[in-house]
Amino acid sequence: MSTATKAGSTVKKTIRRTVRKAPPKSEIESGRDAVAEAYANLRSARDHFKTATFAAGGEIKHEADEKIDQGVDKAREIYTTTENYVKAQPLTSAGIAFATGVIISRILGR
């Protein structure tokens, strides 16, 4: 059951209780009191929903931040590995870069 449905159900129950328990008052006063109590319950439900929404959003943001950090760490690791390979074997790296360039130019040249 959604928060809005629960709030609506609570409002209806509150109005029924207030009207039943009310001492003999005019119908206008009873209605006003019931509406005031229902409004207070509705505001409470809204605040609860707002809190739940912020909590869920914060959790998703935290998970996204963790994934971004993992991606950055992996990219740094790959960069470092590549840099070390190029420094250790510069001629092989130049040959691989040349061959890759030739292949790409032939594919795009068509």
Side-chain angles (χ1 to χ4, degrees):
M1 185 180 293
S2 72
T3 304
T5 306
K6 289 179 184 177
S9 176
T10 303
V11 169
K12 288 178 185 177
K13 290 177 185 176
T14 303
I15 291 173
R16 286 188 201 122
R17 259 189 269 124
T18 303
V19 171
R20 282 189 214 139
K21 293 179 182 177
K25 293 183 185 179
S26 72
E27 288 183 29
I28 294 174
E29 290 174 345
S30 296
R32 184 186 70 216
D33 293 344
V35 168
E37 188 174 345
Y39 180 72
N41 287 337
L42 185 60
R43 286 180 58 99
S44 174
R46 182 197 65 178
D47 292 343
H48 175 70
F49 180 72
K50 193 175 186 180
T51 302
T53 302
F54 284 135
E59 184 177 313
I60 290 170
K61 183 184 180 302
H62 178 69
E63 289 175 11
D65 287 343
E66 285 181 4
K67 293 292 183 186
I68 289 171
D69 290 342
Q70 289 174 357
V72 168
D73 291 342
K74 186 67 175 175
R76 283 185 184 140
E77 180 183 327
I78 291 171
Y79 175 79
T80 304
T81 303
T82 304
E83 185 179 37
N84 291 338
Y85 181 81
V86 169
K87 287 179 181 178
Q89 300 192 12
L91 290 177
T92 304
S93 300
I96 291 171
F98 178 76
T100 303
V102 169
I103 292 170
I104 291 175
S105 69
R106 289 194 184 215
I107 290 173
L108 296 178
R110 291 183 182 187

